[in-house]
Amino acid sequence: MDLGIKGRKAIVCAASKGLGKGCARALAAEGVSLVVNARGAEALEATAAEIRADFGVSVVAIAADVTTAEGRAALLKACPDPDILVNNAGGPPPGDFRAWDEKAWHSAVEANMVTPIMLIRATIDSMIARKFGRIVNITSAAVKNPIANLGLSNGARAGLTGFVAGLSRQVAKHNVTINGLLPGPFETDRLRSVFAAGSKSSGRPVDALREERRLANPAERFGTTEEFGAACAFLCSAHAGFVVGQNIVLDGGAFPGTL
Ligand code: NAP
């Protein structure tokens, strides 16, 4: 299926690895030119080169921390009027809520709520003017099904989700959509670091924890970044203008609800 976005411009945040990279590759496969971002320049440049070689699209790499005002300004300077914005950043650390002081909360809210809102604020009016815009926020399955030791993530991402629930209904008439993609377990560096931390605290081998988690999922596997990217590309497609303010869980069926 032709997604109808060839020649469009996208900013994909936090995209040198993992889910962001999966989204960048899937958009590039559709002929979208990209501005990609991550803090580490080496991995980012390697990803940008790989995408250029594989898909022949323009890829501008901006090495910056997207959770800072300066980082966001650098991204917007490279692409002030994107047609597509994929919001993403690293997730907050796990822990016990008693350990999270005001500073920890401010930094989680800054990274996983304020950052995407500021990028939406900076780009949405030009999308409205052009009558085309697609915004995808990468959040977490924990927005729907909270994970107790990821309270900073549960809280900050739920704040973003609540805000865009209202905004998405204000802009839908301009063919501008905002939706959330909620990943369950995808085997990326992030998930591998969760297993490593679990192994350290429990004394159990990483492989045993990984296997336990895999078998606990109805699909008996982890998601792939290609699957995640494909879902993102569809939400960014010309065909998805009637998908408004939705939060799509990609978790292999782990959330047990009927709806
Ligand atoms: P990942 O494989 O560790 O990749 C994270 C990417 O984001 C890297 O390219 C990293 O590059 C970049 N990044 C991190 N912090 C950044 C920042 N402040 N500014 C710019 N770039 C930044 O992680 P992932 O699994 O793709 O996770 C992506 C998001 O989905 C995270 O918020 C994570 O919590 C969430 N999530 C993931 C899963 C999962 O199973 N994988 C499940 C639920 C939620 P640099 O480090 O070089 O900046």
Side-chain angles (χ1 to χ4, degrees):
M1 180 163 133
D2 178 355
L3 296 187
I5 47 177
K6 191 171 178 2
R8 296 280 183 193
K9 290 179 285 183
I11 294 178
V12 186
C13 304
S16 66
K17 297 177 190 166
L19 305 179
K21 179 177 174 182
C23 295
R25 286 186 60 84
L27 290 170
E30 293 299 318
V32 174
S33 60
L34 302 175
V35 171
V36 291
N37 149 261
R39 291 163 304 180
E42 201 178 322
L44 181 64
E45 290 297 345
T47 291
E50 175 194 301
I51 295 175
R52 280 183 212 112
D54 287 351
F55 305 109
V57 295
S58 154
V59 186
V60 175
I62 303 292
D65 183 341
V66 74
T67 68
T68 65
E70 302 74 41
R72 292 190 291 273
L75 268 172
L76 292 166
K77 192 169 171 217
C79 185
D81 54 355
D83 304 299
I84 293 166
L85 169 65
V86 180
N87 278 313
N88 187 28
D96 183 275
F97 80 94
R98 293 171 190 85
W100 300 326
D101 58 11
E102 219 172 308
K103 193 161 162 266
W105 273 106
H106 280 300
S107 93
V109 168
E110 183 69 35
N112 298 110
M113 179 179 172
V114 175
T115 289
I117 291 173
M118 288 300 106
L119 286 171
I120 292 170
R121 176 173 173 258
T123 55
I124 202 163
D125 284 332
S126 73
M127 293 178 182
I128 289 171
R130 291 192 309 280
K131 293 278 178 207
F132 182 91
R134 299 285 184 264
I135 298 170
V136 173
N137 296 320
I138 299 178
T139 61
S140 170
V143 169
K144 190 167 168 122
N145 194 16
I147 301 169
N149 73 340
L150 290 177
L152 290 170
S153 170
N154 300 339
R157 297 188 201 272
L160 170 66
T161 305
F163 170 69
V164 298
L167 179 63
S168 59
R169 272 90 187 171
Q170 283 177 268
V171 298
K173 64 179 178 239
H174 303 291
N175 191 26
V176 174
T177 68
I178 312 174
N179 292 289
L181 273 182
L182 284 58
F186 282 77
E187 199 158 19
T188 63
D189 284 1
R190 164 85 175 176
L191 191 61
R192 283 186 279 270
S193 74
V194 170
F195 294 142
S199 167
K200 205 170 160 199
S201 62
S202 67
R204 298 181 57 212
V206 167
D207 284 350
L209 296 177
R210 184 187 176 281
E211 199 54 5
E212 203 169 270
R213 183 80 186 271
R214 180 181 76 75
L215 292 173
N217 189 284
E220 295 194 0
R221 67 177 179 88
F222 302 112
T224 70
T225 57
E226 289 79 9
E227 289 170 312
F228 194 86
C232 177
F234 178 73
L235 287 179
C236 296
S237 76
H239 312 299
F242 211 52
V243 184
V244 170
Q246 298 303 300
N247 289 285
I248 298 169
V249 178
L250 300 176
D251 70 348
F255 180 72
T258 302
L259 292 174

